[in-house]
Amino acid sequence: MRDFNGHDRWHPAVGQSRIEESLPPDVVGCVRDFVLTSGGRIREQLLSLSDESHSFTYCLLEAPVPLVNYVATVRLKPVTDGNGTFWEWACSFDPPPGRAEELTKLVGEEIYEAGFRAIRQVLAGGEAKPTARRPTPASHIARPAVTSGQAMRGGAMVLSGHGGPERMEWREVDVPAPGPGQVRLRHGAIGVNYIDVYCRTGYYPLVEPPGILGMEAAGTILDVGAGVHGLAPGDRVAYACPPPGAYCELRTMDAGLLVLLPDAIDDETAAAAMLKGVTAEFLLHRVHRVKDGDVVLVHAAAGGVGLYLCQWARRLGATVIGTVGSEDKAQLARRHGCSYPVVYTREDFLETVRDVTEGRGVDVAYDGVGASTFERSYEALAIRGHLVSYGQASGGISAIDISSYSSKSARVSRPNYAHYTSTTEEIRNSTDRLFPLLETGDLKVQIGQRFPLRQAGEAHKALESRQTTGSTILTLAE
């Protein structure tokens, strides 16, 4: 009981262990730093120790699994009808969304039950037996438990030069072992977004040939580098942030860019929803805070981001007017929260705005189209309205005379995705809003098109010709 550092002598999952700063192992506040037999590192701090109640309490400081706010107490009690001792080991923690059952089983069976079995054997004069490791999904790619230090080979669509979709070529590339703070993962699905087109053409100088496009994907961690905490081999993760490099089978990247996926969100859903859903989150909550009673204009309402804006704005209590390119897209937008879809090839959205708002105008216009809609989006604004230009699918926007905006005291924003996803905290704040809505179905994911990774060029052609609806993803064959 008094040796907070004695678990390496009996628990089969614990390798080497030490008390930091060479403190005695029964000093309240001491920290034990130990390595699991599977390779993960854990740090725990002793919070209390009582000889009277035969108990101690400790908390988790660092771990390869997300046991947030983990606090545990061990208590020993004599059994009154025999020469025995009752050992109580209990804890509480806050699991990420969708992982409560998995993590409860991990703690209860692979840590506590394994520890009970081992200590019984040790006290009976035997030796503790190793416990089973957490199972990881099967894969056709070798999966080391921790980094082997060796590179792996995987396929990728490599940009040979800035230009058209044909400049992407399938190649086998070396994927290095993860270094400190990195992980190596196997992609299960990859998102395709218009920012990929900007990178391909060189409009956004984020990918220098030969390089790999793609800002968004979901998959499974293969191995981890030194200093990675809260992530382990077998964890399902997703990301949607720079630097580009997602159009590939395997990738080594900064662990801080990844978020754990709840069990209820599969790889395809995550790849379809991460970048567009995170974009919708910061557009609706941080660039302009949409509130109950607002009237919102969404251009390309049946597109990838548009469908999320429509659903989410409607859920926040706004009335949504949206522009679309066909009657089919109008029906799709209507099913996703757009109360007034306008087919722009035959109707004037300004007339709809005037009718719906009785001439007042919209509180905010979300314009991802650009050149062909920007000026009229301004015309649609109410006094003190906000024009949010977050893309330019139809071409760049001409220079504007800012003084003209005083006629409505209007605001104009040009948010950059990277400026809202530049830190781990920002990304996870977004997904903390996004994931629960995906799990409950309050935000529906519309995957309009699937292309094999090798056909990424065809996916770009469809996107640029405005033939797509919802999200477009790249799939990987097993």
Side-chain angles (χ1 to χ4, degrees):
M1 280 295 295
R2 297 194 64 87
D3 186 359
F4 190 52
N5 197 42
H7 57 165
D8 60 342
R9 296 194 296 272
W10 55 268
H11 201 298
V14 177
Q16 294 181 337
S17 181
R18 69 180 183 90
I19 298 292
E20 295 181 358
E21 300 179 1
S22 302
L23 292 173
D26 59 353
V27 172
V28 172
C30 73
V31 175
R32 63 185 182 191
D33 183 342
F34 59 96
V35 178
L36 299 172
T37 54
S38 61
R41 178 187 176 214
I42 295 179
R43 295 175 68 243
E44 297 172 332
Q45 185 171 35
L46 183 63
L47 300 178
S48 68
L49 175 64
S50 172
D51 290 332
E52 183 177 350
S53 63
H54 304 294
S55 67
F56 66 85
T57 298
Y58 64 96
C59 69
L60 199 59
L61 300 179
E62 295 181 33
V65 289
L67 301 175
V68 180
N69 298 324
Y70 176 98
V71 177
T73 295
V74 174
R75 181 177 290 107
L76 302 182
K77 297 179 181 179
V79 177
T80 56
D81 61 351
N83 184 25
T85 301
F86 177 79
W87 180 11
E88 180 185 20
W89 190 1
C91 74
S92 64
F93 61 89
D94 299 324
R99 301 195 68 187
E101 183 177 354
E102 171 205 347
L103 294 176
T104 299
K105 184 177 181 181
L106 170 67
V107 172
E109 295 183 6
E110 299 190 28
I111 300 176
Y112 289 8
E113 291 294 342
F116 292 149
R117 289 193 298 269
I119 202 71
R120 288 192 196 102
Q121 291 173 339
V122 170
L123 294 175
E127 293 184 358
K129 295 181 179 179
T131 187
R133 294 181 182 177
R134 180 163 50 139
T136 56
S139 169
H140 67 291
I141 296 170
R143 187 191 310 281
V146 293
T147 180
S148 64
Q150 297 178 345
M152 302 171 74
R153 297 282 288 176
M157 294 298 294
V158 177
L159 185 68
S160 61
H162 292 134
E166 71 281 356
R167 301 306 298 270
M168 288 184 285
E169 303 172 356
W170 179 261
R171 299 181 188 176
E172 290 288 320
V173 298
D174 285 327
V175 182
Q182 293 185 319
V183 302
R184 182 162 47 187
L185 63 152
R186 174 179 57 87
H187 286 148
I190 300 161
V192 178
N193 300 279
Y194 221 93
I195 192 172
D196 302 346
V197 174
Y198 296 151
C199 292
R200 190 201 73 216
T201 61
Y203 182 82
Y204 284 176
L206 299 178
V207 179
E208 284 299 321
I212 300 174
L213 303 174
M215 303 278 279
E216 172 184 40
T220 303
I221 293 176
L222 299 178
D223 51 357
V224 302
V228 174
H229 305 296
L231 296 172
D235 282 342
R236 295 181 54 251
V237 293
Y239 62 88
C241 51
Y247 285 14
C248 57
E249 293 180 323
L250 303 175
R251 186 178 185 184
T252 299
M253 62 188 300
D254 183 352
L257 303 176
L258 302 172
V259 292
L260 287 163
L261 284 177
D263 292 340
I265 301 177
D266 61 31
D267 286 357
E268 289 198 357
T269 299
M274 272 290 291
L275 190 143
K276 299 172 186 66
V278 167
T279 299
E281 185 278 328
F282 70 70
L283 291 178
L284 294 166
H285 288 274
R286 290 188 272 165
V287 176
H288 180 96
R289 188 176 295 276
V290 171
K291 61 185 184 300
D292 187 23
D294 281 354
V295 181
V296 174
L297 172 63
V298 177
H299 287 296
V305 175
L307 289 177
Y308 291 104
L309 289 172
C310 290
Q311 294 178 81
W312 211 329
R314 177 69 173 270
R315 189 177 184 277
L316 293 171
T319 297
V320 182
I321 303 168
T323 65
V324 294
S326 67
E327 185 58 40
D328 287 344
K329 291 185 176 183
Q331 294 299 324
L332 179 62
R334 185 176 286 111
R335 291 195 300 271
H336 288 75
C338 179
S339 298
Y340 299 96
V342 179
V343 181
Y344 63 82
T345 55
R346 66 176 190 233
E347 304 170 74
D348 184 352
F349 70 83
L350 285 176
E351 291 185 9
T352 302
V353 168
R354 285 191 286 266
D355 290 344
V356 172
T357 66
E358 299 180 345
R360 185 179 71 89
V362 300
D363 298 283
V364 59
Y366 290 108
D367 191 339
V369 176
S372 64
T373 55
F374 185 85
E375 291 184 3
R376 288 168 63 78
S377 292
Y378 169 74
E379 293 181 49
L381 293 179
I383 299 298
R384 292 186 297 178
H386 190 175
L387 172 51
V388 181
S389 173
Y390 68 94
Q392 47 197 53
S394 67
I397 298 165
S398 301
I400 60 174
D401 177 9
I402 192 65
S403 63
S404 66
Y405 286 78
S406 65
S407 64
K408 290 187 175 183
S409 295
R411 289 180 290 156
V412 180
S413 297
R414 184 59 172 91
N416 183 318
Y417 182 92
H419 296 159
Y420 290 85
T421 58
S422 59
T423 68
T424 301
E425 182 179 10
E426 286 180 329
I427 296 169
R428 292 178 181 171
N429 284 343
S430 281
T431 56
D432 283 348
R433 282 197 177 110
L434 174 64
F435 285 172
L437 299 180
L438 296 177
E439 290 183 278
T440 60
D442 288 322
L443 285 183
K444 294 178 172 57
V445 177
Q446 175 74 25
I447 301 177
Q449 302 74 216
R450 292 175 174 84
F451 294 86
L453 174 58
R454 290 173 182 257
Q455 294 180 18
E458 297 302 313
H460 277 223
K461 291 177 184 177
L463 193 65
E464 290 180 275
S465 63
R466 305 182 76 170
Q467 297 174 2
T468 62
T469 57
S471 297
T472 300
I473 64 171
L474 304 176
T475 60
L476 293 93
E478 288 293 332

